[in-house]
Amino acid sequence: MSDCIFCRIAAGDIPSACLYEDEHVYAFRDINPQAPVHFLVIPRAHIASMDEISAENSALAAKCLEVIPKIAARLGLSGGYRVISNCGADAGQTVFHLHFHVLAGKSLGERLV
Ligand code: 5GP
Ligand code: ZN
């Protein structure tokens, strides 16, 4: 989708700090980090949100999850990390292309689940 900012980032049309890429997945640092380490993992294919995950495309979401421990190991996140996917207005989703936030680099506390 040419009007989707994350599709354009995955395509390389908008610059980003890439941490990982393969045929199906693209990972890059969040432009407005909420923790010392904050990156986003997205499928290259446009899926608007968690709400659109189905039996047909769930393998793409799984591929996103698979790369998270790889990146975490490379970044040395031995203390752990938090994975969040905001879905819809009440969750504060602002970019409607499925993405997994990965936050780390400090103690994130026990709240917000
Ligand atoms: P959401 O609120 O939809 O869960 O998260 C969207 C995230 O995308 C936000 O954390 C925001 O900082 C990040 N973001 C929005 N636009 C850009 C961009 O152009 N580049 C990068 N690297 N991150 C972006
Ligand atoms: Zn998109």
Side-chain angles (χ1 to χ4, degrees):
M1 277 179 48
S2 59
D3 60 344
C4 169
I5 190 166
F6 283 2
C7 281
R8 296 182 66 197
I9 284 174
D13 295 341
I14 294 175
S16 65
C18 179
L19 288 171
Y20 177 92
E21 63 179 320
D22 65 27
E23 185 185 354
H24 297 292
V25 177
Y26 191 81
F28 57 105
R29 293 194 189 271
D30 196 291
I31 204 166
N32 183 24
Q34 303 299 307
V37 175
H38 183 179
F39 61 90
L40 304 171
V41 184
I42 65 173
R44 286 190 185 276
H46 184 84
I47 300 170
S49 75
M50 192 74 83
D51 232 16
E52 292 204 351
I53 294 178
S54 65
E56 283 68 44
N57 63 19
S58 61
L60 295 173
K63 286 183 183 298
C64 290
L65 298 181
E66 282 175 32
V67 309
I68 291 173
K70 291 182 188 173
I71 298 170
R74 182 149 44 84
L75 297 181
L77 304 181
S78 55
Y81 51 86
R82 180 171 291 157
V83 181
I84 295 174
S85 188
N86 295 320
C87 178
D90 279 1
Q93 184 178 6
T94 58
V95 178
F96 284 80
H97 179 127
L98 178 67
H99 52 282
F100 297 95
H101 294 260
V102 182
L103 300 145
K106 68 173 185 179
S107 176
L108 296 166
E110 294 180 4
R111 295 299 174 181
L112 200 62
V113 304

